[in-house]
Amino acid sequence: QVQLVESGGGLVHPGGSLRLSCVASGGISSIRTMGWYRQVPGKERELVAQITGGGNTDYAESVKGRFTISRDNAKNTVHMQMNSLKPEDTAVYYCYASISGLRHGIWSNEYYDYWGQGTQVTVSS
């Protein structure tokens, strides 16, 4: 079964940096887009950044110039370097990936979205 495991969250002062990582494992044939969403209580989950298999990236306006997403296709891994962090970046960050492979015990060419368990990022002085 495909799963995504995140790491790298924590507490940081304003202006500081964190690096989030997410590894996809299990029965994987192909990964299309990988990325990060974030959510704060009472608000909808929002896209932070995403990257295609070919390396094309997309960022939320609020993080452009501060966050950088990258991926290692050979390791089924996506990273997000977060610099110049602000208190408003505080949220639970979720990794996601669009993956084809083993699903419910059957190999499929269809792509499905998978999500990590979430990692807390807190920016506070």
Side-chain angles (χ1 to χ4, degrees), residues 57-107:
T57 58
D58 187 28
Y59 295 92
E61 284 295 327
S62 60
V63 307
K64 282 183 179 179
R66 300 188 297 122
F67 291 10
T68 302
I69 191 170
S70 62
R71 66 188 277 177
D72 184 335
N73 291 330
K75 297 181 179 180
N76 294 334
T77 300
V78 62
H79 305 284
M80 186 164 68
Q81 178 67 40
M82 305 186 295
N83 298 328
S84 302
L85 282 160
K86 305 175 181 180
E88 50 264 42
D89 294 317
T90 296
V92 177
Y93 284 71
Y94 296 91
C95 171
Y96 87 95
S98 182
I99 297 173
S100 69
L102 189 63
R103 184 173 174 87
H104 302 311
I106 299 174
W107 286 96

Side-chain angles (χ1 to χ4, degrees), residues 24-64:
S25 63
I28 296 172
S29 295
S30 175
I31 302 179
R32 214 153 45 183
T33 301
M34 302 185 80
W36 297 89
Y37 277 70
R38 66 186 180 188
Q39 189 171 25
V40 297
K43 293 189 176 182
E44 291 187 359
R45 194 172 292 189
E46 65 170 357
L47 175 67
V48 180
Q50 61 185 6
I51 183 168
T52 67
N56 293 318
T57 58
D58 187 28
Y59 295 92
E61 284 295 327
S62 60
V63 307
K64 282 183 179 179

Side-chain angles (χ1 to χ4, degrees), residues 4-18:
L4 303 182
V5 178
E6 300 135 335
S7 61
L11 172 65
V12 64
H13 293 309
S17 298
L18 283 174

